[in-house]
Amino acid sequence: MKRSRKHNSHWFLIFVAAVIILVGGSSIIYHEIRKPVDSARSQSLRIAKKYAHLKTTTDFSWANDKQTSYVVTGINKQNVPVYVIISNNGKKVRIFKQSAGIDRNDALKKIWNSYNPKKVTTISMGIYKQKPVWEVGYMTNSGQLCLKTLNFKNGAVVRSVNNI
């Protein structure tokens, strides 16, 4: 009996050590994978606060078209809600009042009402042909992945990519 208890405690210690190594390793990998996103986020927030004079930020996202751009949503010192779109290299900053166009919910409603997708997979603000747009990715009921690019000012579809 004593032998089996020692044997069982030996396997228990090995199990506990393996769990600790697995959890610790997963945590390190997760943080290493997040570093570029966290770095882009902090740099974008710093740029947005500097150029758009944001007092609060409410969201951060990014869009990938031909180039990556980062979007910071917030409220400036004049209490005006704005979108700040920052180029990948941080050299081009564009600021748009949220009231100057459709909001995220309006863009989503347009997609749901016009295309009745199975699910919306992504939505982000970006720049297309030098104009602000909402880029909405969705899956159709037949399983096709589609992308609609909506003009920020009026919600008109300016680009449609079906069955990606």
Side-chain angles (χ1 to χ4, degrees):
M1 279 282 194
K2 287 184 180 181
R3 218 173 195 184
S4 66
R5 279 188 182 170
K6 279 186 177 181
H7 186 69
N8 286 343
S9 66
H10 174 72
W11 285 110
F12 179 73
L13 290 175
I14 290 173
F15 174 75
V16 169
V19 168
I20 290 171
I21 290 170
L22 194 64
V23 169
S26 297
S27 177
I28 290 169
I29 290 169
Y30 174 78
H31 288 291
E32 287 300 313
I33 289 171
R34 292 278 315 164
K35 273 185 182 179
V37 173
D38 292 342
S39 175
R41 179 186 173 96
S42 64
Q43 182 179 3
S44 297
L45 292 175
R46 190 171 51 254
I47 291 169
K49 285 178 181 177
K50 179 179 179 181
Y51 292 102
H53 309 290
L54 296 184
K55 67 176 185 177
T56 59
T57 58
T58 55
D59 195 23
F60 167 78
S61 62
W62 63 90
N64 293 307
D65 192 30
K66 292 180 181 171
Q67 293 184 4
T68 301
S69 60
Y70 303 102
V71 182
V72 178
T73 306
I75 299 172
N76 67 18
K77 290 180 180 175
Q78 292 78 35
N79 288 320
V80 176
V82 295
Y83 297 113
V84 183
I85 302 177
I86 305 161
S87 64
N88 189 34
N89 61 11
K91 293 183 178 179
K92 192 168 188 177
V93 178
R94 299 180 73 174
I95 303 163
F96 303 96
K97 290 181 181 178
Q98 290 182 25
S99 62
I102 66 170
D103 67 13
R104 181 181 191 276
N105 288 337
D106 291 335
L108 287 169
K109 283 179 195 170
K110 180 164 180 83
I111 295 301
W112 282 104
N113 292 337
S114 299
Y115 304 102
N116 191 29
K118 182 176 184 179
K119 74 176 185 174
V120 171
T121 56
T122 60
I123 180 166
S124 61
M125 186 163 225
I127 299 292
Y128 178 69
K129 294 188 177 182
Q130 302 302 314
K131 303 218 186 251
V133 295
W134 285 103
E135 295 176 336
V136 185
Y138 65 90
M139 180 144 325
T140 66
N141 288 313
S142 62
Q144 294 180 333
L145 189 59
C146 300
L147 175 73
K148 299 293 186 236
T149 303
L150 308 178
N151 182 299
F152 169 66
K153 301 271 186 204
N154 59 22
V157 175
V158 294
R159 178 177 56 172
S160 180
V161 182
N162 296 315
N163 200 17
I164 301 174

